[in-house]
Amino acid sequence: MRKKLIRNSDVTISTQLYEMLRQDMLGNKWKENDKFYSVRQISIKYKVNLNTVLKVIRMLEEEGYLYSIKGKGCFVKKGYNLDIEKRMTPILNTFRFGQNSKDMEINFSNGGPPKEYFPIKEYKEIVNEVLSNETESRYLMAYQNIQGLESLRETLAEFIGKYGIRREKDDIIICSGTQIALELISTAFGISPKKTVLLSDPTYQNAVHILKSYCNIENIDMKDDGWDMQEFEELLKRKKIDFVYMMTNFQNPTGISWSFQKKKKMIELSLKYDFYIIEDECFSDFFYNSRECPKSLKALDKYERVFFIKTFSKVVMPALGLTMLIPPKKYIDSFSLNKYFIDTTTSGINQKFLEIFIKRGLLEKHLEKLRLNLKMKMEYMLSELQKIKHLEIIHIPKGGFFIWVNLANYINSEKFYYKCRLRGLSVLPGFIFYSSTEETTSKIRISIVSSKIEEMKKGLEIIQDVLNNCDFKLN
């Protein structure tokens, strides 16, 4: 601990101290499980109050550099895998720090719907109504039809007409989340030899993690309205692609929607080159400026090439834990059997709630409120971000939750992420949305979901202040 803190610097004392201690631990003199400096030692050495030291120590623990033992102090966590630490910590903190944020923390990272809009009152009323019927409630608490509650699937067969999809109840499988649906698709065709899936760069990080576990990964850059289809076809001529994974409307993290022409071309190429399409359609309900939901790729699927996935965690609440999967018709039976081994049963109570919530028109009313709230916040965030130097908005989204931002090339994006964290602002660094472990990027994802306008204002002030910090720029 040799360096001195600069008291009159634009960089906060806690940020300076964090960087010094972090760099100290990244040196070679420490061994795993060595006892680290005590809070009092750090406080005396740097002439910093104990609360500031505790804040920095807590941050270092969250980032995986230290661990503490009550009554004994802090110890060095030297044996962690740097790649995992680098890529996974921001995701973990989205849930630990972001979604369960304290009063003094500002959340620009959360990818779930606003908590204040969860339909808790309706959930309680509907579930109480269902549970008052003893015969039905006992049935719903037992194992369910492996494809899902029949009455819910009937309701969903009508509901999906809004996406331009025409299917029957027997074409639908209800799963306990998008991750389960992706695992079903990844494993249903066998994992030896490995299939190859083509992903957008960037794309949804959970999909990257799951598909990478079972498949070989290829990547293609995301353009302003989907992939470059000429580049895509050239790749198909060179390599055998078994699946492509795509988020058709308001993609996570970019906010991009595929053009109708590219959707049609995708279906044509899937038949020509014999691959299947995994369409993860979770944000299409959050359109801002049109009168109806954008059409799904599945609506164009006359050749049965699309596996359609639709989660209700975004449109209702995460605790519902329900996702609709519509595979090509010939795979219904094999997928139902595979679901038995992976996801034996899906909550009957939650399925019944969703059925009634849709039938009574409550879901559409709920979505109307969400769209108005999100549109207002998106417009505010975009207008304010455009005033900030050292960054640019890559794509202006017309719906969804996210804004994809590029920091100036002289800004260290990893430091930007950590310094925002120390100031009480959570964002997600861009590298977690790429499948390559070597990927470095100056991009960040900003979510407009969780913060109120006054919190957004404070968060934007932090971003501006951090970016203006001379210490932050690369030489």
Side-chain angles (χ1 to χ4, degrees):
M1 296 194 296
R2 294 180 182 177
K3 291 183 180 180
K4 292 184 179 180
L5 297 172
I6 303 171
R7 301 290 169 176
N8 59 354
S9 170
D10 292 334
V11 185
T12 64
I13 294 298
S14 59
T15 299
Q16 291 183 60
L17 183 59
Y18 169 82
E19 288 296 335
M20 288 179 186
L21 296 180
R22 180 172 173 268
Q23 290 303 320
D24 192 328
M25 275 181 288
L26 291 174
N28 294 321
K29 71 173 186 174
W30 294 99
K31 295 179 182 178
E32 187 173 5
N33 302 322
D34 277 354
K35 187 171 182 180
F36 195 57
Y37 311 118
S38 71
V39 171
R40 186 168 296 278
Q41 282 177 319
I42 297 169
S43 175
I44 293 171
K45 173 68 178 178
Y46 290 102
K47 297 181 175 60
V48 176
N49 69 61
L50 292 174
N51 287 336
T52 299
V53 177
L54 286 168
K55 176 182 177 181
V56 172
I57 291 294
R58 186 163 57 249
M59 181 73 171
L60 291 166
E61 287 179 354
E62 287 183 355
E63 307 304 344
Y65 293 101
L66 293 174
Y67 66 94
S68 60
I69 299 175
K70 191 173 182 180
K72 294 185 178 181
C74 292
F75 298 82
V76 174
K77 202 170 184 178
K78 188 78 171 181
Y80 59 80
N81 181 307
L82 286 174
D83 285 337
I84 293 175
E85 182 274 330
K86 181 183 178 186
R87 302 189 69 81
M88 296 307 293
T89 296
I91 301 172
L92 294 173
N93 284 332
T94 299
F95 292 86
R96 179 172 57 201
F97 170 86
Q99 295 193 339
N100 300 306
S101 60
K102 301 170 187 174
D103 291 340
M104 298 304 292
E105 292 167 349
I106 300 166
N107 190 327
F108 286 0
S109 62
N110 186 3
K115 288 184 284 190
E116 64 270 23
Y117 283 84
F118 290 171
I120 296 170
K121 178 175 176 289
E122 291 84 354
Y123 185 88
K124 287 170 66 176
E125 290 174 353
I126 292 171
V127 170
N128 285 338
E129 178 186 324
V130 169
L131 292 179
S132 65
N133 183 325
E134 187 172 331
T135 302
E136 183 176 32
S137 62
R138 288 184 184 278
Y139 166 72
L140 293 171
M141 290 178 184
Y143 286 111
Q144 298 301 306
N145 181 318
I146 200 66
Q147 275 190 239
L149 200 64
E150 184 175 9
S151 55
L152 172 60
R153 288 185 284 120
E154 287 174 351
T155 300
L156 291 176
E158 182 178 348
F159 172 80
I160 58 178
K162 66 188 289 189
Y163 309 115
I165 301 172
R166 300 287 180 264
R167 293 294 185 277
E168 303 299 323
K169 65 178 174 63
D170 291 335
D171 299 326
I172 297 171
I173 299 174
I174 308 299
C175 304
S176 304
T178 297
Q179 287 84 353
I180 294 293
L182 287 172
E183 190 172 352
L184 275 174
I185 298 167
S186 301
T187 57
F189 294 87
I191 58 175
S192 182
K194 277 189 171 184
K195 303 296 184 288
T196 298
V197 60
L198 182 64
L199 304 176
S200 303
D201 255 351
T203 194
Y204 174 47
Q205 69 271 24
N206 282 15
V208 172
H209 178 71
I210 292 168
L211 294 170
K212 206 170 187 178
S213 300
Y214 301 104
C215 305
N216 296 316
I217 301 295
E218 292 288 334
N219 303 102
I220 185 168
D221 288 340
M222 192 69 169
K223 306 300 181 185
D224 203 47
D225 61 346
W227 300 341
D228 180 322
M229 299 309 279
Q230 185 175 348
E231 178 189 352
F232 175 41
E233 187 163 11
E234 288 301 316
L235 189 150
L236 290 170
K237 291 174 181 176
R238 298 193 311 270
K239 294 186 177 181
K240 171 57 181 169
I241 300 296
D242 299 289
F243 299 100
V244 303
Y245 169 82
M246 54 192 290
M247 303 182 86
T248 320
N249 297 301
F250 317 127
Q251 190 230 23
N252 179 10
T254 64
I256 288 170
S257 295
W258 282 65
S259 68
F260 180 74
Q261 291 77 12
K262 289 189 176 182
K263 289 177 185 178
K264 281 187 66 178
K265 185 67 174 177
M266 179 63 75
I267 294 290
E268 293 168 8
L269 292 176
S270 72
L271 189 66
K272 182 177 179 180
Y273 291 96
D274 189 25
F275 63 84
Y276 285 101
I277 303 156
I278 304 170
E279 182 184 21
D280 189 349
E281 185 62 286
C282 58
F283 295 107
S284 58
D285 292 287
F286 303 106
F287 53 90
Y288 298 153
N289 299 315
S290 59
R291 293 185 177 181
E292 60 180 21
C293 188
K295 292 294 183 287
S296 161
L297 185 71
K298 185 68 177 176
L300 307 174
D301 187 26
K302 60 183 178 181
Y303 305 118
E304 292 290 317
R305 308 301 299 177
V306 178
F307 291 87
F308 177 84
I309 301 173
K310 174 71 178 177
T311 180
F312 291 93
S313 294
K314 305 294 185 189
V315 296
V316 184
M317 54 187 173
L320 198 63
L322 298 177
T323 292
M324 170 172 52
L325 169 64
I326 307 178
K329 289 178 182 291
K330 67 179 180 180
Y331 293 118
I332 289 290
D333 289 342
S334 61
F335 267 57
S336 298
L337 178 61
N338 200 30
K339 182 180 183 291
Y340 172 77
F341 296 112
I342 293 174
D343 184 31
T344 305
T345 192
T346 305
S347 169
I349 296 289
N350 284 356
Q351 289 187 68
K352 194 65 181 179
F353 164 76
L354 180 60
E355 175 197 330
I356 296 172
F357 197 62
I358 293 172
K359 277 183 174 179
R360 293 181 180 173
L362 296 172
L363 178 57
E364 196 48 52
K365 289 180 182 178
H366 175 69
L367 283 170
E368 285 174 9
K369 291 180 185 177
L370 279 176
R371 281 193 287 267
L372 286 172
N373 174 265
L374 294 172
K375 179 182 179 182
M376 174 191 67
K377 293 197 289 188
M378 178 66 81
E379 289 175 347
Y380 175 79
M381 183 68 85
L382 287 170
S383 68
E384 295 303 307
L385 281 172
Q386 287 169 340
K387 300 173 186 177
I388 296 178
K389 296 180 180 179
H390 313 299
L391 62 76
E392 65 172 342
I393 299 169
I394 300 171
H395 176 80
I396 303 293
K398 296 179 180 178
F401 295 178
F402 309 119
I403 305 171
W404 193 229
V405 174
N406 197 28
L407 301 177
N409 59 12
Y410 47 80
I411 300 293
N412 184 314
S413 59
E414 187 180 354
K415 284 187 178 181
F416 174 83
Y417 161 72
Y418 287 116
K419 290 189 178 185
C420 286
R421 284 287 320 279
L422 281 170
R423 298 280 296 273
L425 171 66
S426 60
V427 298
L428 283 183
F431 62 73
I432 69 172
F433 297 98
Y434 291 83
S435 57
S436 171
T437 56
E438 304 300 321
E439 183 69 36
T440 58
T441 178
S442 59
K443 298 176 179 66
I444 60 169
R445 191 195 77 179
I446 291 178
S447 170
I448 52 95
V449 171
S450 293
S451 300
K452 297 179 174 64
I453 295 295
E454 56 269 24
E455 293 171 326
M456 286 184 172
K457 183 177 179 181
K458 292 177 183 176
L460 288 160
E461 287 172 356
I462 291 172
I463 289 175
Q464 178 73 81
D465 189 50
V466 169
L467 288 174
N468 283 340
N469 198 322
C470 294
D471 166 69
F472 208 168
K473 298 176 187 177
L474 296 175
N475 295 323

